[in-house]
């Protein structure tokens, strides 16, 4: 094995002998010429020898009356000689190796896992602020510092890890549960009805319910008591001391309520009409943006959106692409509305009023709508039956 490696590094030639090959090999061995790889091919003797020795064998061939012919040249010296004739190939190989080393120093892809409520866009922006982005230098950040910086920028995350796999970066995050609000100790409170309604659900986490399912309650009626005394069973054994509780009432009481909403919409609406467009383009290479033209900052009401196209190689997005930002110029125009459009606008306004009026989790169970057109206005009156939490905490002051 070592001999074969030595011959490949130093180079050798393989030749055929036309004539008495045995005599030539014998005389060459006596002269100290090192030959190897003896064999017969197509009836001719074949051997291998170093290039310098092959030149010295010419006189020996004439003496033995034989003729030799080169079959092949092998080894590093012959390969290097071929490359010297093809300098562009050698330069291309060196340039390719240098380009590979240069490009391996940048981030080629960023992936995010574990994001739920926190959007990937927020995590991407936080990572970009600490140097983790497609096209960013790999030496510009350390995974430990980057993960700490992301946690600092996004307090909603309880854990973040930045892992590198070659030129690709994976950001794994975990969102923490929202810390409950601190409850003030020593506070006495009850839960009372914020409006009248019929009780359909009771959840008393702390305190004693004072109403039952199906009861009709009025505004300010006690629903869950935080300060109460145990009511003993009149038919059982009477305890020596009654249990007393003094604390904050916690829970919710869902009731079916009745609400009325009234909204109105005018006969016309101001709309923004497109009056022109302007396009700005730039080339992005490894995070560096190169503008492809000159443009000014738009004035007045505008709407902008961006488009991007990235170079993809073997299914992998390259940090090389073209970005385009389109600016749409808008002008305000007053447009009259048809009755159908007025009804649609009034219904949308009603839904917004209902979302504002109802507490979180509340919904409209049934409603009756009435449209009235007067003086060019569309007036919508809604009578709604709603399901909502009517419980309101009321602190008991102790003096």
């Amino acid at each position: 094995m070592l001999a074969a490696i030595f011959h490949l590094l130093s180079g050798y030639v393989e030749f055929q002998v036309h004539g008495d090959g045995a005599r030539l090999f014998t005389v060459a061995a006596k002269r100290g010429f090192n030959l190897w790889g003896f064999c017969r091919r197509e009836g001719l003797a074949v051997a291998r020898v170093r290039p310098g020795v092959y030149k010295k064998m010419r006189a020996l061939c004439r003496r033995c009356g034989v003729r030799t012919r080169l079959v092949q040249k092998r080894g590093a010296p012959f390969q290097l000689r071929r490359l010297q004739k093809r300098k562009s190939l050698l330069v291309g190989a060196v340039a390719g190796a240098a380009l590979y080393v240069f490009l391996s120093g940048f981030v080629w892809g960023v992936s995010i896992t574990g994001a739920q409520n926190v959007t990937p866009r927020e995590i991407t922006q936080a990572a970009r602020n600490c140097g983790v982005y497609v096209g960013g230098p790999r030496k510009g950040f350390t995974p430990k510092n980057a993960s700490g910086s992301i946690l600092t920028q996004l307090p909603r995350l309880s854990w973040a890890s930045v892992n590198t796999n070659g030129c690709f970066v994976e950001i794994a995050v975990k969102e923490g549960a929202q810390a409950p609000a601190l409850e003030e100790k020593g506070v006495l409170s009850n839960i009372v009805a914020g409006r009248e309604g019929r009780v359909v659900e009771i959840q008393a986490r702390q305190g004693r319910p004072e109403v039952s399912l199906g009861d009709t309650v009025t505004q300010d009626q006690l629903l869950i008591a935080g300060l109460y005394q145990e009511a003993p069973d009149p038919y059982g054994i009477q305890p020596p001391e009654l249990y007393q509780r003094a604390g904050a009432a916690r829970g919710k009481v869902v009731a079916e309520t009745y609400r009325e909403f009234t909204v109105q919409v005018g006969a016309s609406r101001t709309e923004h009409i497109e009056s022109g467009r302007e396009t700005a383009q730039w080339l992005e290479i490894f995070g560096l943006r190169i503008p492809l033209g000159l443009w000014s900052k738009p004035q007045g009401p505008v709407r902008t959106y961006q488009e991007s196209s990235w170079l993809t190689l073997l299914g992998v997005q390259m940090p090389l692409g073209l970005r385009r930002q389109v600016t749409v110029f808008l002008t305000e125009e007053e447009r009259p509305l048809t009755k159908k459009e007025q009804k649609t606008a009034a219904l949308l306004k009603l839904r917004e009023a209902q979302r504002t009026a109802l507490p979180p989790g509340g919904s409209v169970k049934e409603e009756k709508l009435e449209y009235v057109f007067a003086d060019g206005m569309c007036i919508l009156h809604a009578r709604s039956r709603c399901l909502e939490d009517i419980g309101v905490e009321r602190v008991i002051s102790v003096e």
Side-chain angles (χ1 to χ4, degrees), residues 192-309:
V192 299
R195 61 186 305 109
E196 61 182 12
R198 186 174 64 86
V199 178
V200 297
E201 181 184 352
I202 303 174
Q203 294 183 10
R205 298 191 300 273
Q206 296 181 23
R208 183 178 65 187
E210 298 294 334
V211 294
S212 303
L213 295 178
D215 290 351
T216 300
V217 298
T218 59
Q219 188 174 3
D220 296 330
Q221 182 177 338
L222 180 62
L223 302 178
I224 301 176
L227 177 63
Y228 62 89
Q229 185 179 41
E230 178 186 9
D233 184 3
Y235 303 101
I237 300 176
Q238 300 299 314
E241 184 178 354
L242 296 178
Y243 171 77
Q244 294 183 350
R245 183 188 186 278
R250 295 290 181 265
K252 71 175 183 177
V253 178
V254 180
E256 182 180 319
T257 61
Y258 175 80
R259 287 177 179 265
E260 292 188 3
F261 301 91
T262 301
V263 296
Q264 59 183 13
V265 176
S268 62
R269 179 171 58 192
T270 302
E271 294 184 347
H272 290 92
I273 308 300
E274 179 179 342
S275 59
R277 292 194 174 199
E278 183 181 74
T279 303
Q281 293 183 342
W282 61 85
L283 184 67
E284 187 166 331
I285 305 176
F286 294 99
L288 178 64
R289 294 186 175 184
I290 303 175
L292 302 179
L294 299 176
W295 56 87
S296 58
K297 186 176 180 180
Q299 302 293 332
V302 295
R303 184 178 66 249
T304 62
Y305 63 91
Q306 289 189 4
E307 299 175 343
S308 60
S309 57

Side-chain angles (χ1 to χ4, degrees), residues 258-261 366-368 370 381-385:
Y258 175 80
R259 287 177 179 265
E260 292 188 3
F261 301 91
E366 183 181 353
E367 65 182 357
K368 182 179 180 181
E370 181 180 351
H381 184 72
R383 298 178 178 87
S384 306
R385 292 192 178 275

